Every structure is written in C-alpha cells, then in structure tokens.
Amino acid sequence: MESYVSHRSRLWLYILVGLVIFYLVAPSLIVIPTSFSSSRSLSFPPPDFSLRWYRGFFGEEKWLAATWVSLRVAFGTMIVATITGVAASYALHVSGFRLNNMVRATLISPLAVPSILIAIGIFFVYARIGGLLNTIPGIIFAHCVVAMPFVILTMSAGFNSYDMTQEMVARSLGANRFKAFRTVTLPQLKFSVVTSMLLAFLVSFDELIISLMISSGPVATLPRVTFATLRDDVDPTLAAASTLMLIVTTVPPLVLHIVTSRAKRKDRRHAG
Amino acid sequence: MAQAAVLQSPSGSSKTIRLEQNREALEKDKRAEARVMFHLTVPALVIVGLLMVAPIAWLLSMSFVAPDGQLSLENYRLFFAEPVYRDMFLNTFKIAFIVTVLCLLLGYPVAYLLAITPAPWSGLLMLAVLMPFWTSTLVRTFSWLIILQRNGLVNSALVGAGLVERPIPLVHNMTGTIIGMVHIMVPFLILPLYASMKAIDGNLMRAAANLGSSPAHAFARVYLPLSMPGLVAGTIMVFVMCLGFYITPALLGGGKVKMIAQRIEESLSLYATWGPAAALAVLLLLMTALCLGLSLMLVRRLTPEV
C-alpha cells in the first residue's frame, strides 16, 4: 500500500519501529563481543580482546563432545525428516485419498502441541521400549517429530506451485513414476527441498526441551550442555559456545535467502 | 451412467458393458494408485504417530489414574486443593497476558510499517524481523542474562545516568522473564498481522481521506478493523505459545518464576510421578486446542467477505 501521509508526519512511527527492531536484533549479537572478552565475568563492553574462551571451548571435552553429538543428530534429522517428509508431501499432493486431510493435519500438528508435551511423551515411549533413550538414533527420531511440520509445509508450498502434468508427460514417454519424479520433478523443486533440509537441520540443532528429557551423559546435545552450564556456573565459555551456535544457525539461512532470491530474480528475467 | 445410456443402442448392449467395465477398471486403478501413493506417507506417520500421538493419548488416560492405581479425578482435584498449583496457574496466565499485550504494542507498528513500505526497505525490515527467528532461543536468553545482570549494560547505563542509585534487579525475576519472552514472541505476532495487512487495499484509506477522515480516524475506522483477522490470529498464537514456555522462565526467572511447563518437568524429574504431570499436560493441551479453535472461529468471522 502506498502511503498518502508525508514522511515527516510519520516520523514517530519510524522512530518507534527503529527502536523495536533494535530490541529484536541487537541483544542476540551481544554474545559475540562478550565471547572475545579477556575478563572472567560476563562484563560488557569487554575490557580487552582475547581468545581464551574459545581456547576453553575447544580445549574442553564436554563442549567438543556436545558439538559433535549435535552435528550428528542434526544431520541425521535432516536426512530422515526430509526423505520421509518429501515422500509424504508428494503422496498427499498426488493422491486423492480420503484420509489426506487427516494425515496432513497429523503431520503438521507437532507445530501446535507445546514442546514440553512432546518431550515427556517421547520420554515415556523410550523409557518403555528401551534401546532408544540416550542414543543418537533416539534423539534423531525425536527431532524428526518437531522437524516434520516444517518439511511438510515447505514441500506442500513447492508442490502447489509446480505443474504436475510435466511428470505425466515424462511417464507417458516411458519413465516410471520414480524416475519421472527423480529426473523431472525433483530438480525443479530443489529450492523447496534444500529449504526443508536446512529447516530440519536447524530445528534439530536448536532443539532443547526434548533433548533435556532424552539425551544425557555422552550423548548430551550442545543446547543441553549450554542449558545445564547456564544454570550451574555462568562463564564466558558460554558466550563462545553461543557465538558458534549463532553462526551455525544464522549464516546458512542467510546464504539460502540470498541464493534463492537471486535465482528467483533470474527466473523472472528469463520469463519476462 | 449417463454416458452409458447415450451410447446404448439396440444392437450394442455389449458396448455398454465394455464401457462400464472400462470405467470400473479405471476407477479401481485410481483407487489402487491412491493406496500405493498413500503408503509413501507411512514412514512420516509412524514417526509422528508413535512418538507424539500415541504418548499423548496415553497421557490422557494416565491423568485419570490416582497414585494408588485407582481410576479417579484425584490428579485434577489437586489443582484446586493445593495453593502451589493455583499460584502456578495464576502466574502462567499473568505472564502470558502481559507478554501478549506487550507484543501487541511493539508488533503492530512494525507490521504496519512493513505493509506500507515499498520494496527494498520492506525486504530489509523483514530480514530484521526474521533474524531473531533463526537465532537460537537459548542464545537469545543468554544474551538477556548478560544485558540485564546486576552490572550489565542496562544497569550501568541507568546508574551512570543517575536515574537509579544502585542497580535494580532486572533478571532472575518476573521482569527478566517477561523481557526475554516478549523478545522471542514479537515475530510470531508480526508475521500473521503483516500477512493480513498486506491484503488491505490502500485505496480504502485514500477513499476515507477523500471523504474527510483524518489519518487517525481513517486508521481507527478502516485500517484497524480490516487488520483484525491477523491481529486476532497473532495475539492468540502468542498467548498460547506463552502458556507452554519453558526455557526463558527457567533461565531468566531464576527459579522464582514457575509456569506450567516447568511444573510438568519438575513433577517428573523430582517426584517421578506421572499422574499430576499427565493431568497438567492434558490441561495445557486442552487450553492450547481451545485457544486455537477460538482463533480459527474468530478469524473466519472477522475476515470480510468479498
């Protein structure tokens, strides 16, 4: 909507929004300078520059192990949630099965259910069946539950803007269904798939509440160890850990955002 | 049937039969394909069904079992009998309410500017709104701990400016919890609100101005009602998500701020009893479902018919 009110009379709005945006963006960044502090306390601004807390992070078994666990879990979640999620959204899109709506609602529902409930539910199941509590596969399956809605929603949007007759054409030319999907549909939906993978990875890498219930000891995830450390003794190693988490969770989406918007612009130019 | 009837001729009843068979076969084929395709949803359904739907159903049944193993409402009766629970509920609702109101006050202007700003700027603004979304809740909560602590940024500024004599407690209490939660929830209000504002036809505001409305009047009578669906959806979403918050109150509340989610976790980890935890879980789920249902209903009612 174009505005008919002059910028000057709207100055208060700009200032107000500027303040809110500052409130939203600035605090998250404060961990970065704090992590380079030379001081033992979490003072800001830091008195002097040093890398001692990064040396602390990379020198301590607890942090390294947790980082490695988190990366493996997030990678596993990315693979499992994306494959099962893409398969499910493809099926939901092409088949007119009468239970479709119910299936879709079920797969998206983890988004609406408070995580603490999902967490205690999974804890109960794992405590009963055994073999999955405090294991990497156990955490991966658990994280797939919360990552699933993101994959389904992203892929559904992708399939909705995709012309399915192309796959029909491929099949009428002799490709079987899987080959048609792999060679015709999938390449055109690559942005949706990459976005799904990224979201699944991030949801898992960031997940804390479920991990609190089902991951401990040698398979404690990075957020879990961070949370425990935050509760017990706060030191700037946490700032180093937080900065690394910040980089892992912020840089890839930013890169993807830039790449997709550039690709879309290119597509538009070609179309126009 | 109609097609078959048209094609029916005195000599060609066999043709009709073949057509019938053909159609039946086609439909059977379609059903078979739907079934095959449906199998592709099974792995995803098994994960979500086994790890979320089934345990929640079990929690529901567990909440009606008293400590002595008898079927009863004992776990729910505790909520009314014990002041600990009453305080915890009141606390949860109070925090959720305050956070929602603050999100509304902070989020509405941002969504509004986002909706009326032209392309390059709105993209940048959107990025600023989405950035916290991508940032770990834990990292953001930790940041607030640094900023709000006794000798943190805010307190040194306040003391330095002579506004307060000694540092005021901003964290490990309700204040810190609310500041941290609002920070996390504001984008959840902005996004649905922005979606519904984006759909408002700007000419309506111009028409109102043309008919003699002041900008403020036109906003109150035209823009605000049209943005209502997004406003209601966003507000209820924020409120509901606040009810189930765990991380922020646990870290910024300093053990003093108790909300439902923490209580559930505690009754499991400290007392190892499923009954009260299950009852609380069912209650939280029920409130979530009710709020979301209410939101759907209100949004449908408030959306102007075109």
Side-chain angles (χ1 to χ4, degrees):
Chain A
M1 184 182 92
E2 285 296 315
S3 146
Y4 61 93
V5 180
S6 74
H7 286 297
R8 184 186 292 256
S9 58
R10 198 167 258 156
L11 197 61
W12 64 272
L13 180 66
Y14 298 145
I15 293 173
L16 184 62
V17 171
L19 288 175
V20 177
I21 292 295
F22 181 78
Y23 166 73
L24 282 180
V25 175
S28 319
L29 301 175
I30 207 162
V31 294
I32 300 173
T34 311
S35 69
F36 291 108
S37 167
S38 59
S39 143
R40 213 201 106 80
S41 69
L42 287 169
S43 52
F44 188 90
D48 220 344
F49 177 87
S50 102
L51 286 175
R52 64 185 277 211
W53 304 111
Y54 284 91
R55 276 198 292 276
F57 182 89
F58 288 108
E60 207 174 326
E61 179 56 30
K62 163 180 105 169
W63 291 109
L64 285 182
T67 310
W68 181 229
V69 167
S70 267
L71 285 175
R72 275 189 294 168
V73 166
F75 188 77
T77 305
M78 177 178 92
I79 301 295
V80 178
T82 308
I83 291 176
T84 54
V86 168
S89 8
Y90 179 80
L92 289 174
H93 187 70
V94 298
S95 86
F97 207 71
R98 58 184 184 284
L99 289 175
N100 260 6
N101 283 334
M102 228 177 85
V103 174
R104 186 187 302 273
T106 308
L107 294 180
I108 295 176
S109 63
L111 212 53
V113 177
S115 354
I116 185 77
L117 299 192
I118 303 181
I120 61 170
I122 292 174
F123 173 68
F124 168 74
V125 173
Y126 283 4
R128 275 289 159 93
I129 59 179
L132 284 170
L133 200 61
N134 293 328
T135 62
I136 301 267
I139 311 171
I140 291 177
F141 286 127
H143 283 181
C144 280
V145 175
V146 279
M148 195 63 76
F150 293 94
V151 178
I152 300 283
L153 289 173
T154 311
M155 287 315 299
S156 298
F159 280 121
N160 279 338
S161 61
Y162 171 73
D163 184 2
M164 265 315 196
T165 43
Q166 295 179 57
E167 205 177 288
M168 287 294 225
V169 171
R171 285 170 68 198
S172 77
L173 290 171
N176 65 26
R177 185 141 215 167
F178 183 66
K179 192 172 180 197
F181 174 75
R182 198 169 48 84
T183 56
V184 178
T185 306
L186 204 56
Q188 296 188 62
L189 288 174
K190 58 177 185 284
F191 281 124
S192 304
V193 176
V194 172
T195 307
S196 302
M197 289 170 74
L198 184 70
L199 286 173
F201 184 93
L202 294 180
V203 165
S204 165
F205 195 78
D206 211 24
E207 205 291 322
L208 167 64
I209 300 174
I210 296 175
S211 306
L212 271 179
M213 303 292 290
I214 62 159
S215 91
S216 64
V219 292
T221 62
L222 185 57
R224 206 214 133 107
V225 170
T226 311
F227 183 78
T229 314
L230 258 172
R231 265 189 164 174
D232 303 342
D233 63 322
V234 175
D235 78 40
T237 316
L238 276 168
S242 297
T243 305
L244 294 173
M245 277 163 75
L246 197 67
I247 292 169
V248 172
T249 54
T250 314
V251 172
L254 208 62
V255 170
L256 185 74
H257 182 82
I258 293 166
V259 170
T260 38
S261 55
R262 204 168 273 172
K264 272 184 194 146
R265 219 174 300 144
K266 212 163 96 190
D267 280 353
R268 223 172 292 145
R269 243 198 329 267
H270 280 299
Chain B
M1 273 305 180
Q3 268 176 336
V6 171
L7 285 161
Q8 202 169 21
S9 62
S11 60
S13 61
S14 62
K15 211 190 233 167
T16 315
I17 292 166
R18 233 177 296 146
L19 210 63
E20 286 272 308
Q21 280 175 334
N22 194 12
R23 198 180 49 225
E24 256 169 42
L26 271 176
E27 239 158 54
K28 212 167 127 195
D29 202 43
K30 207 170 147 195
R31 271 201 306 272
E33 187 184 273
R35 217 168 22 241
V36 170
M37 279 293 117
F38 197 72
H39 287 155
L40 283 175
T41 65
V42 169
L45 268 182
V46 166
I47 294 177
V48 175
L50 220 59
L51 295 183
M52 196 191 80
V53 181
I56 284 181
W58 172 84
L59 276 176
L60 188 68
S61 69
M62 206 57 194
S63 69
F64 295 108
V65 178
D68 56 5
Q70 293 293 309
L71 212 61
S72 80
L73 288 172
E74 173 65 19
N75 295 317
Y76 291 94
R77 204 186 53 80
L78 278 180
F79 297 162
F80 302 99
E82 293 208 18
V84 187
Y85 281 103
R86 215 192 40 226
D87 290 351
M88 186 267 305
F89 280 123
L90 283 180
N91 220 353
T92 306
F93 281 111
K94 192 169 113 194
I95 292 176
F97 181 75
I98 297 174
V99 170
T100 309
V101 170
L102 288 174
C103 282
L104 209 59
L105 294 177
L106 297 180
Y108 199 95
V110 179
Y112 180 68
L113 196 62
L114 206 53
I116 64 168
T117 308
W121 290 107
S122 62
L124 211 64
L125 203 57
M126 193 50 143
L127 209 62
V129 172
L130 287 178
M131 203 203 100
F133 242 3
W134 294 328
T135 317
S136 148
T137 308
L138 199 54
V139 171
R140 286 150 72 191
T141 305
F142 176 53
S143 303
W144 283 112
L145 216 55
I146 302 176
I147 297 168
L148 298 175
Q149 64 182 328
R150 229 186 105 75
N151 50 2
L153 212 52
V154 175
N155 264 325
S156 355
L158 287 177
V159 174
L163 287 172
V164 291
E165 261 176 43
R166 63 176 76 105
I168 45 174
L170 289 168
V171 80
H172 299 306
N173 57 20
M174 182 87 103
T175 317
T177 308
I178 288 172
I179 295 176
M181 280 174 73
V182 170
H183 187 235
I184 290 163
M185 296 316 300
V186 168
F188 287 94
L189 187 88
I190 293 178
L191 294 176
L193 195 52
Y194 165 73
S196 98
M197 282 175 169
K198 201 66 193 165
I200 297 176
D201 184 354
N203 284 327
L204 292 173
M205 288 293 273
R206 248 173 254 133
N210 208 10
L211 293 168
S213 268
S214 68
H217 188 247
F219 175 83
R221 296 298 298 273
V222 179
Y223 202 86
L224 193 61
L226 285 172
S227 67
M228 236 2 143
L231 192 68
V232 168
T235 310
I236 295 183
M237 174 133 91
V238 168
F239 185 78
V240 153
M241 291 180 73
C242 285
L243 292 180
F245 245 66
Y246 180 82
I247 304 175
T248 314
L251 291 176
L252 296 179
K256 275 172 278 183
V257 181
K258 288 269 180 286
M259 292 177 76
I260 298 182
Q262 286 156 282
R263 186 74 213 181
I264 294 177
E265 197 264 339
E266 271 176 16
S267 60
L268 277 186
S269 62
L270 297 182
Y271 312 110
T273 48
W274 280 97
L280 279 175
V282 169
L283 207 65
L284 180 57
L285 192 69
L286 211 63
M287 285 191 295
T288 309
L290 277 179
C291 285
L292 292 179
L294 183 74
S295 163
L296 278 181
M297 201 186 77
L298 283 176
V299 168
R300 205 167 292 154
R301 187 166 296 173
L302 287 168
T303 307
E305 279 171 38
V306 183

